[in-house]
């Protein structure tokens, strides 16, 4: 008899927990948009639409930057870099103030230093300015990786989806 009461109480608690999840989960998701793991995004500083992987495992976003050159402007550290549109071959240079530098540990030995700048990415109709690391992503499938810093509190990623919406920022 004691086992039956325990099972009944356990099933009641479980049912209440599931009901709570059913009520709370949609409310939490209602203020966030759902996108696929690969989306077209717009890099506002370039005015270009680029393919991007939305990666919840990455903290910081990253862009395929080539010929990265540090320089000084008004006693501040800046960086100049080239971005290549993989679809058209068009190249464009950007200059941005350096927010910070990060050291990336590499399996081959010597650490790699990467510059971090602020860039504005447009996903759907959301313009989000956050830090982006500059890295040669030529060997990667997508020139842009959107990390948690751009997605937090705004975006839910459905790994079963791709290209759910076009960027629509002016």
């Amino acid at each position: 008899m004691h086992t039956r009461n325990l099972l009944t109480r356990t099933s009641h608690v479980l049912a209440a927990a599931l009901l709570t999840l059913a009520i709370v989960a949609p409310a939490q998701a209602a203020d966030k948009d759902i996108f696929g793991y690969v989306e077209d995004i717009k890099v506002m500083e370039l005015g270009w639409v680029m393919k991007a992987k939305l990666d919840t495992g990455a903290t910081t976003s990253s862009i395929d930057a080539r010929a990265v050159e540090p320089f000084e402007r008004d006693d501040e550290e800046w960086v100049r870099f080239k971005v290549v549109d993989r679809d058209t071959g068009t190249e464009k240079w950007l200059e941005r103030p350096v927010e910070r530098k990060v050291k990336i540990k590499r399996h081959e030995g010597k650490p790699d230093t990467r510059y971090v700048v602020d860039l504005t990415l447009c996903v759907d109709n959301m313009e989000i300015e956050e830090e982006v690391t500059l890295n040669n992503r030529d060997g990667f499938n997508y020139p842009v990786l959107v990390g948690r810093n751009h997605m937090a509190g705004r975006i839910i990623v459905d790994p079963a989806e791709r290209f759910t919406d076009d960027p629509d920022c002016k």
Side-chain angles (χ1 to χ4, degrees):
M1 190 76 151
H2 179 65
T3 305
R4 177 189 267 175
N5 286 341
L6 182 59
L7 285 174
T8 302
R9 273 190 261 148
T10 302
S11 65
H12 285 274
V13 169
L14 184 58
L18 289 173
L19 180 60
T20 301
L21 280 175
I23 293 168
V24 173
Q28 290 174 339
D31 61 343
K32 298 177 183 97
D33 291 320
I34 299 172
F35 296 99
Y37 80 100
V38 177
E39 292 289 343
D40 283 329
I41 58 105
K42 186 174 187 179
V43 180
M44 298 305 290
E45 289 80 1
L46 293 168
W48 293 352
V49 173
M50 303 174 81
K51 289 179 179 44
K53 178 180 179 183
L54 278 60
D55 188 349
T56 61
T59 302
T60 307
S61 298
S62 180
I63 190 166
D64 185 7
R66 317 275 176 90
V68 178
E69 303 169 358
F71 67 97
E72 194 170 293
R73 178 180 287 164
D74 299 325
D75 294 326
E76 290 184 16
E77 190 172 19
W78 280 60
V79 68
R80 175 182 303 111
F81 56 97
K82 178 173 61 175
V83 181
V84 178
D85 182 332
R86 292 183 184 180
D87 295 330
T88 65
T90 306
E91 299 177 353
K92 189 165 185 179
W93 286 88
L94 286 178
E95 294 180 351
R96 307 294 297 165
V98 173
E99 296 299 320
R100 62 190 174 100
K101 295 181 214 173
V102 294
K103 283 200 188 288
I104 306 297
K105 294 180 185 176
R106 302 175 74 176
H107 296 293
E108 304 89 54
K110 159 176 154 174
D112 188 21
T113 300
R114 295 183 188 161
Y115 291 94
V116 179
V117 300
D118 280 343
L119 287 178
T120 305
L121 303 183
C122 172
V123 181
D124 186 32
N125 61 1
M126 294 180 282
E127 283 188 42
I128 309 164
E129 182 180 352
E130 291 287 344
E131 291 185 343
V132 175
T133 60
L134 304 179
N135 181 34
N136 184 331
R137 295 184 52 83
D138 190 36
F140 292 91
N141 290 336
Y142 306 104
V144 179
L145 181 136
V146 179
R148 291 190 310 266
N149 63 333
H150 272 93
M151 294 187 285
R154 303 174 184 98
I155 292 173
I156 295 172
V157 178
D158 181 348
E161 296 294 327
R162 292 170 42 117
F163 303 110
T164 61
D165 212 342
D166 292 325
D168 187 28
C169 300
K170 305 299 181 241

